[in-house]
Amino acid sequence: MTGWLQALLFPPRCRLCGAATAADPALCQACLDDLPWLESGCGRCARPLPAGGDTRWCGACLKRPPAFDAATAVLHYQSPADYLIQRLKFSGELAVAPVLARLLAGKIATRASALPDLLIPVPLHRARLHERGFNQATELARHLGRRLSVPVDHRLCRRNRHTQPQSLTPLRLRRRNLRGAFSLSGELPAAHVAIVDDVMTTGHTADELARVLRRAGAARVEVWVIARSGH
Ligand SMILES: [Zn+2]
Ligand SMILES: [Zn+2]
């Protein structure tokens, strides 16, 4: 079926409100306007900060800077961003991935600084991957990579342990819960890399993975996430 005929018979529906929309990604303009856009965040970890620029650091980064150099997030982890991410992650609605990736790619495409040489999705442990059937971070990275013309390597980095979800781990144990969680299966082929994930909450996961990438020789490590929670 040709594209226009398909569009006529099955017009894309907004992933949030169900309205017919010509827009790709399939979010209508009204829903796009209502998204919780993250306008101003910490220059290091993207934690939401009051308006006034992305150059200042939050208190946590001033006290203890993370192993990554900079983070980019496009949305607050609030409704309906959380709903879209959960649909992707837990309902296996893979069609949500390009919608979210396009939002983040749009933000990244406007920046002046150089893009990374490689995108590395945060890996799932193989037991979790088997259970879910896909890694949402890999799905997002693939779409981001295609849009921004940056290669993706989803095999290089491994998750060694089936760690307890961070959300179920007491705050003070979260860092310890991740120690030794990641390793690389080969040489890091790039000096400037970006870790890709769906959400960043405490930042400990990205921090631990960034530490591993630095040890492997990365000169600059970024973190790209769709949504950032304020905690
Ligand atoms: Zn809508
Ligand atoms: Zn910060």
Side-chain angles (χ1 to χ4, degrees), residues 49-224:
L49 289 180
D54 290 340
T55 52
R56 296 162 310 142
W57 288 12
C58 71
C61 287
L62 284 172
K63 214 164 102 191
R64 183 181 180 173
F68 52 83
D69 296 281
T72 305
V74 68
L75 300 172
H76 289 272
Y77 192 58
Q78 290 169 359
S79 174
D82 54 356
Y83 167 77
L84 284 169
I85 288 170
Q86 283 159 19
R87 289 266 293 271
L88 166 63
K89 210 153 137 176
F90 302 118
S91 309
E93 216 175 296
L94 296 185
V96 172
V99 176
L100 295 173
R102 179 166 170 171
L103 302 178
L104 181 56
K107 178 164 183 170
I108 287 165
T110 63
R111 77 186 205 182
S113 54
L115 290 175
D117 308 309
L118 186 67
L119 303 184
I120 298 182
V122 172
L124 291 179
H125 185 263
R126 62 192 149 65
R128 178 76 47 81
L129 184 62
H130 187 73
E131 177 190 314
R132 193 172 288 171
F134 64 96
N135 176 357
Q136 71 282 358
T138 303
E139 296 299 316
L140 292 167
R142 278 207 188 106
H143 290 286
L144 286 164
R146 210 168 299 151
R147 286 198 169 271
L148 297 165
S149 303
V150 181
V152 178
D153 193 334
H154 68 279
R155 293 173 191 276
L156 178 65
C157 184
R158 274 191 309 231
R159 195 164 196 135
N160 304 319
R161 285 185 287 116
H162 198 25
T163 49
Q164 197 181 355
Q166 286 293 86
S167 54
L168 300 178
T169 309
L171 216 49
R172 64 193 168 80
L173 294 180
R174 283 186 181 180
R175 205 175 282 275
R176 196 189 305 167
N177 182 40
L178 283 165
R179 211 163 286 159
F182 302 110
S183 64
L184 302 187
S185 60
E187 301 238 319
L188 183 64
H192 179 185
V193 297
I195 296 167
V196 176
D197 209 355
D198 51 348
V199 186
M200 176 148 63
T201 306
T202 61
H204 290 164
T205 303
D207 189 34
E208 183 60 32
L209 183 45
R211 211 174 294 280
V212 171
L213 294 169
R214 282 226 184 274
R215 272 202 297 269
R220 181 167 173 79
V221 181
E222 295 185 43
V223 179
W224 292 0

